[in-house]
Amino acid sequence: MGDETVRITIDGTELQAEAGQTILEVARENGIYVPTLCYHPRLLPIGSCRLCVVEIEGADRPMTACTTQVQDGIVVHTHTDRLHRIRLDALKLILVNHPLDCPQCDAAGVCELQNLVFEFGIDQQEYQATKSAQGMKEFATPLIRQWGDRCVMCLRCIRADHEIVRTHAIDVVGTGNEAHVGITNPDACISCGECLRVCPVGALTERVSRTKARPWQSQKVLTTCHYCSLGCQLELTVFENKVIGVTAPEDRGANRGSLCQRGIFGYDFLHHPQRITAPMIKGAGQWKEVPWEEALSHTAAMVNKVVMGNGPEAVGGLISPRSTNEEIYLFQRFMREVVGTNNIDSTGRLCLEPHRLAIQEILGNNYLPYTLDDIIRGDCIVVAGGDLDANNNIIAANRIREALWRTGARLIVLHPRQGRLAEEADCWFSLRPGAEAIWALGMINLLLKDKEGWGPSVDGIKGFNELKEAAKEFTPAAVAKEIGCSQELVREAAGHLINAKQPAFVCSPPLGQGPNGVDQITALANLALLCGALTDTGEGGFHWVGPQSNMVGAVEMGAAPTLLPGYAPASERGLSSVEMFQAAAKRKIKALFIVGEDPLLTLPRSLVEEGLAALEFLVAQDMFLSETAERAHVFLPALSFAELDGTFTNCEGRVQRLHRALKPPEGLRWGGEIFAEVASYMGSEMTVVSPAAVFEEIINANPFYKGTMFDPHAPQRRNGSGGELLKEAAFGVVKTEQEQGKKDYPFYLSIEGIFSSHLIGHDHQRRAQVLAHVARSYLAMNAEEAAKIGVADGDRVRIVTPWGEMEIGVKGSEGMRKDCLCLSLALCNVDVSRLMGPQLDPRSLVPAYGRVPAKVEKV
């Protein structure tokens, strides 16, 4: 869109529009109806259906409104007798091969074509043509069925595949009347459902739920996705207290109608028969269902016993970053005010803390003001950390792709494996984990020689001279040698950053989750500050995308051993999650309260096993008997995200609602009530009325949430999401020492996806059974290195680290750095955590999920 404005007249009304807008866009902005079928706001318009034709005074023929840009002074008519005839004939031609059997179709009641047929009063097919019957068949993914006879060849599914996701898994097959949507590259399909959601008819349907219902029989409930930190807005379709489908509104949230594989298809776990719906106490190794009062009073008595006998520091608490803000806030109050300890943590902190510390060092802030929309405006994008496509952060990945085809942005990817984004990149650096700081200093070395690439007032920022000195030795030759690439590639990437006016950085774990992890992010933030990605203007930006829905909220509500709500420092440092199990193994921590976490799967397993075995008391609160919950003394059932009222805070700082869509099983209680009742049994009162009342308490206790509402009328972000970002800016000091590889362990292993599988299960306990059809965990390994040990794709290998081992299938790739391994987890393998050691980054207190020393053996 341009900055220039023009004036046009539509149906007698004079309107103001931006130069570059189409007539259809202006009409829709002003509530003027123009029929469409092939048009979709996220796709490039093609005008093939001819239903949006309009008349422009002075033009010799009608024009398609979706492809015709506005011009100053034009007069447009959207409804004339001539246009009605044209649209009616176009619609009749569309119906030539489309059966009028609406009552049998899955899309009946929500079909755009059905609405148009009713609008134009068509009750029979006037035109006939012979075409081979298509019937129902498997699509590019087993999660979607294709009904070829219902297809109207609007091409929206193909365009979504080519433009938004860019997999090119489907295309037009055949010619003439026999042309149809066909599968051209099934291996490229990532089961994201983008094609399904843009289909205007019933030609594509999902196959998760066997239960179906018409729109007037079911209810759609807007809520927030519980998977990753993007906080996608979605609608749960509910029929008879069961979720039977998921859609996403186009005008809500960071996702703008798109969802990932898990978001759209991963909901069947909600109704899995293994769900526990009653409190239980273990006696003589056997679980026994008990009344709530007995379970809660027993929990309180055991925690009190530990506190009285050993002090409050002998108790620890872990809470899931998929709990609501209200639950997390109350849990940290329970631990700090009732128990009396700062021993509280969350795996959300393990993913956010390295980034927070780096940004705090550079800007003096704990957060950044950027949104995913800023990525689209970026003209050079640097992606570092995990594989966004493989880690179900595809919504962020697709925003990057949108920048590529909308604005021609340059793309630089830092990852040891050439994933989908790396294949689309201008520059791909096959970095070993931990070399990000070296790469960043190499870029800084070249940018310092060309002021055209600097951001505003860079040379006046504190630490600038020290940065220049630190970058001196990182010449293109030195960097190329250290990271294993050509000098030309180093210079090319620096050139893109120098020429960029709105650079953007998109980072994610396991970046920062290794030795000197904070330094890697600090180095990238230094580069972002130098080249102008960190500014007050809200363009480009520095983005952090994590694997858990309330990763940000968990830390901002105080689920951290060093922080109170609102990032206020705790008076005394508590123990981090790993430190709690180290203390438990030494019998210093004697009781643990674990809410929605499964540390046996996400923390160093040998340490967790040792710590759990030594505990006097363990209480677990969850939907299912997880690996960790199986070892508890008391189990408290939890609500699912579809049964919760509350809020999440996403990675942009959006505070978004979860709305209760399902009535919980009888007797189940909200987490806040549970914490309050345990507190009451312990002799303390925590008044809990409702999630809305707790949110009001959060507003008063957390300065960043002042001005937010539990039920906002419009999208909201917590305070502190803007302002003078560079007021306290300073370039950070970075260490680039590389830890030497351990003897007999020739590879650097990165673990990706380890935090993504809770509730949906793991390899031995698949609760999201539909996802299991497409979810494949594997070890990515350089094909040449795999051949050296005699293994091919699909063969089982044994990964061995100094702390443990596991077996998994291997996938060889020529686009993989030779000295690196990437463990990509779709459903978590219970043995993955055996590969991790107990060593922590001293600054972030985070164990290593990246740069783990490893070797590989053929099984």
Side-chain angles (χ1 to χ4, degrees), residues 179-192:
H180 61 277
V181 175
I183 306 163
T184 54
N185 187 2
D187 292 336
C189 178
I190 57 174
S191 302
C192 65

Side-chain angles (χ1 to χ4, degrees), residues 144-163:
I144 297 176
R145 290 188 177 100
Q146 181 183 19
W147 306 79
D149 295 329
R150 300 174 184 171
C151 179
V152 293
M153 292 299 288
C154 67
L155 307 185
R156 274 161 57 161
C157 59
I158 293 174
R159 288 148 57 208
D161 173 60
H162 292 193
E163 296 172 19

